[in-house]
Amino acid sequence: MDEHRIDPDEERRTIVERYTKGREKIRDQIGDWEDPQNLVLFTDRYGFIHDQQLPPRLSKHEAKVRQKEISRTSKWLKMLEQWDKYFPNSEKLRKRVYKGIPNSLRGEVWTRLMEVPQVKKEQEGRYQELLDYGLYNSKDIRQIDLDINRTFRNNDMFRDRFNAKQQELFRILVAYSVYNKEIGYTQGMSQIAALLLMYTSNEEDAFWSLDRLMSGEKYAMHGFFIDGFPKLQRFADHHDKILKKFLPRVYKHFKKFDINATLYTLKWFFQCFLDRVPFSLTLRIWDCFMLDGEMILTCFSYTLLKLHKRSILDKSMEDLISFLQIDLEKDFGYLDDQAIRELQIAINELRKQKMESPAKTNTDAEKPTRPFGMLLQADNVSIMTGTDDRSIAGSINLKNSDSVSLAQTSRTSSEVDQNELENTELDDVEVNDFCKIQRSCSIYDNVDINESIEAAKRLSELTTNSDQRGFFKLQITLS
Amino acid sequence: MEDYKYLFKIVLIGNAGVGKTCLVRRFAQGVFPNVQGATIGVDFMIKSLMVNDVKVKLQIWDTAGQERFRSITQSYYRSAHCLILVYDVFSQCSFDSLPQWCRDIDQYAGAAIAGNGRNVLKVLVGNKCDKDREVPLHIAEQFAHNNNFDLFMETSALEAENVEKLFREIAEILVSRNQESNGGTMSRSITSNSFNQSSKPSNCFNCFSN
């Protein structure tokens, strides 16, 4: 059987090569089965492909909505010019977000609501380093490739195997998998990253947006995607509490069928309703999520069940699950505007009882415990540091590198001969100015500084007997 | 009340990307989904069929394949009447993971099911048999035999090959087990005439041939 075994390194190289070359160059290697075979008859405004002709004209309602959106766009443009005046606390901004961000400005507004421009500036050059490192070292490349093969293939952007958007999606997920090693890659992230790619203006923005969603305090999705999914249970428990109090009959109905909240809320929470309600409504919920964060997950879950309470109570177990998992995505039964208005009502209702969010967790199980972007693997690195422990509690910035980091990061996948690197050993490289360790609050703001120090120490086997300047010595063996 | 005589829970497990969801959708909806997203967590489908003039309802639970989701999906093993472990005949890697899956099954589904003293029905499925294979049939057969699978089949959700047959045989076995136990004849043997006569002996057999 051994001749069938696949060398993981070779598999990784093969996958990386396909994405690096892209569709045009490897066309003859792409099997028929790798592309969707259905006819493209019509593409909607979001790029989704339909096999049925859509009505030639917009419905009256849709036409009205579009008209409104056009008139709102100019208001938004003005607001974007004076963003600091409105963000984060202006009531006008909140009102407009809940009315729906114009689709043409959605990407720009989302990134501003997530404060991506600041992070990107602080982390300039970093994405490329992570990517270069990830393409050689990520352990998740196989799973990422598998999932890109089935991420939004019904959308024009991601339809063709190894096309430009699939290449970008691959790079983002690979870079993230080495950046946040506690998550690496978890299924569900590819759709989030793809959605971000649909709206942000470039892949680097999408990458830092993904980072904000995972580690930004407002969204803190890290706790959903790490092993054991600790945040899922906390949110599902709170969801049950809300049902018990506000929708006791619905609660009993679920109980009767032994339907656990984690079954049907998992995708609501992990992907903020993506794939569980129609795409246009998903976007509206994401608008609110970008502004108000995790509370939206709780409040819209309640809204959804409240709106559909009557039909839920009529359903058998099987019908109920397919209603929540399949039917609502096809037809939500309410207009997007109505649903969002109901969401606002639900927020107020839950706020009065202080139930709009679960109680804050008093353990650290959901939070990142390791510094992000430690590109040097613990097994291969020993770091000796001097006086300033605090300095390690951020991300290692290798961007001014001239020796060590070259070997690890500053290379492009096509240029490097892997064999050459495999036998390279860098002994006792002095890492002075070029290896600045800096705290970057924007990517690390939900981690206690002392914990980060501890984590970094553990990770890097820190010892404290080096020179007084606090500089580091790295001993790197490339494997 | 609904008009079925038996309700069986079937849980599909196996590595990511082996085609679990496509199998379920082929069976339950008669389609091969062109653009099927990854399953996150657990999904669910239902399908009724007639077995010897008796209406049987199959509740099919479809699970995420990525390893870290096992903490969630394992909780569904316990109440299952049947576990279908799926690998991809085109992917040696998915086959190499089977021992780990078997350990999980033993650990989480070992308990008696439905109060009749039976263990869960274990089925091994090699999917995507329409493609070039990496996993030879005889090796998979041997594996199924050595690991006490009750049934082994190769299927193609794409070509609709053996999919209907797979679920039909499962339903038949479960029905006959139930009838036996109801009739007080708690025999370990689950071979019944209906599935001894395999129409495709080349890639479908019943491991349980005592």
Side-chain angles (χ1 to χ4, degrees):
Chain A
M1 256 165 81
D2 276 350
E3 72 267 27
H4 293 290
R5 272 184 215 289
I6 302 150
D7 169 22
D9 264 345
E10 194 182 323
E11 187 183 38
R12 176 183 53 73
R13 268 197 292 274
T14 311
I15 294 170
V16 168
E17 197 188 314
R18 295 185 93 188
Y19 283 97
T20 308
K21 286 184 173 165
R23 183 174 179 86
E24 291 314 314
K25 287 189 190 144
I26 58 162
R27 231 188 171 126
D28 51 332
Q29 300 163 34
I30 302 173
D32 281 349
W33 50 271
E34 290 185 88
D35 280 323
Q37 298 300 310
N38 58 339
L39 284 175
V40 181
L41 279 174
F42 195 86
T43 311
D44 67 21
R45 75 180 301 210
Y46 306 111
F48 286 96
I49 291 155
H50 301 269
D51 52 7
Q52 284 171 337
Q53 185 75 45
L54 297 185
R57 276 183 300 165
L58 294 174
S59 69
K60 249 187 184 168
H61 171 75
E62 278 175 315
K64 209 174 125 196
V65 168
R66 299 272 179 103
Q67 199 52 47
K68 253 194 207 160
E69 198 172 316
I70 291 167
S71 72
R72 276 180 196 150
T73 305
S74 58
K75 289 182 188 169
W76 271 96
L77 283 170
K78 277 183 203 147
M79 200 156 65
L80 283 169
E81 274 170 27
Q82 309 173 307
W83 184 248
D84 293 338
K85 213 175 112 190
Y86 294 96
F87 182 77
N89 290 321
S90 124
E91 214 24 65
K92 193 170 247 171
L93 173 69
R94 165 155 287 99
K95 226 164 128 184
R96 286 182 178 165
V97 167
Y98 277 79
K99 280 183 177 170
I101 301 167
N103 204 45
S104 57
L105 296 176
R106 200 161 246 140
E108 177 64 27
V109 177
W110 280 6
T111 45
R112 291 211 201 181
L113 290 173
M114 288 186 281
E115 301 181 84
V116 167
Q118 290 94 304
V119 183
K120 201 177 150 189
K121 213 168 145 197
E122 285 162 12
Q123 301 287 336
E124 205 189 324
R126 192 97 173 90
Y127 174 62
Q128 191 58 45
E129 289 169 358
L130 291 162
L131 177 59
D132 291 340
Y133 181 80
L135 291 173
Y136 284 89
N137 296 284
S138 171
K139 294 182 171 68
D140 298 297
I141 280 181
R142 188 169 192 278
Q143 185 69 51
I144 290 169
D145 172 52
L146 261 178
D147 284 358
I148 289 175
N149 188 32
R150 46 202 182 150
T151 299
F152 288 129
R153 297 301 294 280
N154 57 341
N155 188 293
D156 211 23
M157 252 185 208
F158 297 96
R159 178 179 165 92
D160 292 332
R161 195 72 176 110
F162 303 107
N163 70 5
K165 279 292 168 192
Q166 287 202 0
Q167 289 175 296
E168 289 179 14
L169 183 55
F170 179 72
R171 291 194 291 259
I172 289 172
L173 294 171
V174 167
Y176 197 78
S177 71
V178 293
Y179 177 63
N180 182 344
K181 286 186 179 163
E182 279 174 271
I183 295 181
Y185 171 78
T186 299
Q187 290 196 298
M189 285 163 66
S190 73
Q191 273 174 303
I192 293 178
L195 177 69
L196 294 169
L197 263 177
M198 284 182 197
Y199 282 95
T200 54
S201 52
N202 59 64
E203 78 181 70
E204 197 178 340
D205 281 8
F207 175 84
W208 293 114
S209 299
L210 180 65
D211 172 49
R212 294 300 296 152
L213 291 180
M214 293 297 159
S215 62
E217 196 172 4
K218 206 172 8 171
Y219 317 101
M221 297 180 99
H222 183 90
F224 285 130
F225 285 96
I226 47 171
D227 247 346
F229 317 114
K231 193 171 173 179
L232 173 65
Q233 198 55 57
R234 183 165 65 94
F235 268 61
D237 289 346
H238 185 68
H239 174 77
D240 267 344
K241 241 187 231 168
I242 290 173
L243 291 195
K244 248 191 227 173
K245 190 174 173 75
F246 294 93
L247 298 168
R249 286 174 65 204
V250 173
Y251 177 78
K252 276 183 205 148
H253 197 65
F254 281 122
K255 261 266 158 332
K256 186 170 91 190
F257 297 129
D258 209 14
I259 299 175
N260 190 310
T262 54
L263 172 68
Y264 65 91
T265 57
L266 190 140
K267 253 188 144 165
W268 295 356
F269 295 156
F270 274 48
Q271 300 188 323
C272 187
F273 301 91
L274 194 62
D275 248 7
R276 287 294 188 247
V277 300
F279 192 72
S280 63
L281 178 56
T282 307
L283 293 172
R284 295 287 300 274
I285 302 170
W286 273 72
D287 290 345
C288 308
F289 179 59
M290 292 293 181
L291 179 71
D292 282 333
E294 59 183 20
M295 150 191 122
I296 298 301
L297 305 177
T298 294
C299 294
F300 197 78
S301 300
Y302 167 56
T303 307
L304 187 153
L305 296 181
K306 190 176 151 195
L307 283 174
H308 294 286
K309 177 180 156 184
R310 199 166 288 172
S311 54
I312 286 172
L313 291 173
D314 283 343
K315 287 191 190 330
S316 68
M317 184 219 181
E318 290 91 24
D319 290 346
L320 182 50
I321 295 178
S322 65
F323 177 69
L324 296 175
Q325 291 194 337
I326 301 163
D327 306 354
L328 285 180
E329 196 259 336
K330 294 195 179 109
D331 180 4
F332 192 70
Y334 293 86
L335 298 173
D336 297 350
D337 281 335
Q338 283 177 315
I340 298 299
R341 264 199 304 277
E342 288 297 327
L343 168 65
Q344 287 174 289
I345 293 168
I347 292 172
N348 289 332
E349 198 182 345
L350 292 173
R351 268 206 178 123
K352 278 184 194 149
Q353 306 291 328
K354 295 196 166 64
M355 288 182 84
E356 76 279 14
S357 280
K360 290 275 175 221
T361 165
N362 47 15
T363 72
D364 293 331
E366 295 175 16
K367 295 177 187 167
T369 57
R370 291 193 213 162
F372 291 142
M374 299 281 283
L375 296 187
L376 312 167
Q377 285 166 12
D379 315 345
N380 298 335
V381 182
S382 64
I383 299 182
M384 290 178 287
T385 182
T387 47
D388 190 8
D389 266 349
R390 296 179 77 83
S391 59
I392 201 167
S395 57
I396 293 188
N397 183 348
L398 290 165
K399 83 170 175 256
N400 301 321
S401 58
D402 48 25
S403 59
V404 171
S405 58
L406 314 169
Q408 282 283 355
T409 65
S410 301
R411 56 192 179 188
T412 59
S413 49
S414 51
E415 285 165 4
V416 179
D417 179 353
Q418 188 68 16
N419 294 328
E420 221 176 271
L421 278 170
E422 268 162 10
N423 300 318
T424 313
E425 194 171 315
L426 299 172
D427 285 316
D428 263 331
V429 184
E430 276 277 356
V431 188
N432 290 336
D433 295 298
F434 70 16
C435 185
K436 284 181 188 147
I437 309 288
Q438 62 176 32
R439 169 152 171 83
S440 159
C441 58
S442 58
I443 55 161
Y444 221 24
D445 48 9
N446 57 345
V447 179
D448 180 89
I449 183 119
N450 292 317
E451 291 162 28
S452 328
I453 293 167
E454 284 311 307
K457 275 183 181 169
R458 277 201 303 279
L459 181 72
S460 314
E461 297 166 3
L462 277 175
T463 57
T464 48
N465 58 354
S466 91
D467 66 52
Q468 304 133 350
R469 289 170 301 163
F471 292 141
F472 288 41
K473 280 183 172 178
L474 299 182
Q475 187 169 27
I476 299 165
T477 311
L478 291 173
S479 55
Chain B
M1 276 314 282
E2 288 177 79
D3 57 339
Y4 57 87
K5 185 157 181 204
Y6 293 111
L7 171 70
F8 296 122
K9 286 188 193 173
I10 298 175
V11 179
L12 276 95
I13 57 176
N15 274 19
V18 298
K20 298 181 290 294
T21 305
C22 290
L23 268 178
V24 176
R25 291 197 55 188
R26 168 61 82 185
F27 173 64
Q29 301 173 330
V31 295
F32 181 78
N34 241 314
V35 284
Q36 181 59 52
T39 305
I40 320 290
V42 180
D43 278 349
F44 172 90
M45 279 212 180
I46 195 94
K47 168 101 175 176
S48 296
L49 67 170
M50 299 298 290
V51 175
N52 305 332
D53 297 329
V54 173
K55 191 164 178 190
V56 178
K57 196 147 112 178
L58 301 181
Q59 239 182 36
I60 307 168
W61 298 82
D62 178 22
T63 62
Q66 195 184 14
E67 184 154 357
R68 67 180 54 168
F69 279 97
R70 290 192 199 176
S71 59
I72 288 177
T73 54
Q74 278 156 355
S75 60
Y76 291 84
Y77 295 12
R78 225 175 331 116
S79 55
H81 297 93
C82 170
L83 284 171
I84 305 180
L85 174 52
V86 187
Y87 69 94
D88 172 357
V89 300
F90 186 58
S91 155
Q92 181 67 36
C93 172
S94 73
F95 187 77
D96 292 341
S97 305
L98 295 180
Q100 179 58 47
W101 285 107
C102 289
R103 278 193 289 278
D104 281 9
I105 294 176
D106 292 342
Q107 187 174 350
Y108 294 97
I113 290 298
N116 62 1
R118 289 268 187 215
N119 283 334
V120 64
L121 186 76
K122 276 169 65 179
V123 178
L124 182 68
V125 168
N127 191 37
K128 306 194 190 177
C129 67
D130 50 280
K131 290 209 273 181
D132 301 335
R133 68 169 66 242
E134 275 186 3
V135 183
L137 177 65
H138 69 276
I139 287 179
E141 280 175 346
Q142 193 60 46
F143 182 88
H145 187 77
N146 293 346
N147 289 277
N148 301 318
F149 279 88
D150 299 292
L151 189 68
F152 165 67
M153 244 186 234
E154 286 192 347
T155 60
S156 161
L158 179 68
E159 309 277 343
E161 193 175 325
N162 275 344
V163 178
E164 179 79 27
K165 185 180 164 71
L166 167 72
F167 286 96
R168 176 159 292 282
E169 293 209 4
I170 289 169
E172 285 170 356
I173 298 172
L174 290 171
V175 167
S176 82
R177 275 185 172 193
N178 254 274
Q179 286 169 344
E180 280 170 26
S181 58
N182 289 344
T185 54
M186 293 269 287
S187 158
R188 181 83 179 115
S189 164
I190 52 158
T191 49
S192 73
N193 292 333
S194 56
F195 57 89
N196 259 344
Q197 301 151 359
S198 177
S199 61
K200 277 206 168 183
S202 62
N203 58 358
C204 165
F205 79 49
N206 172 16
C207 306
F208 216 91
S209 49
N210 54 323

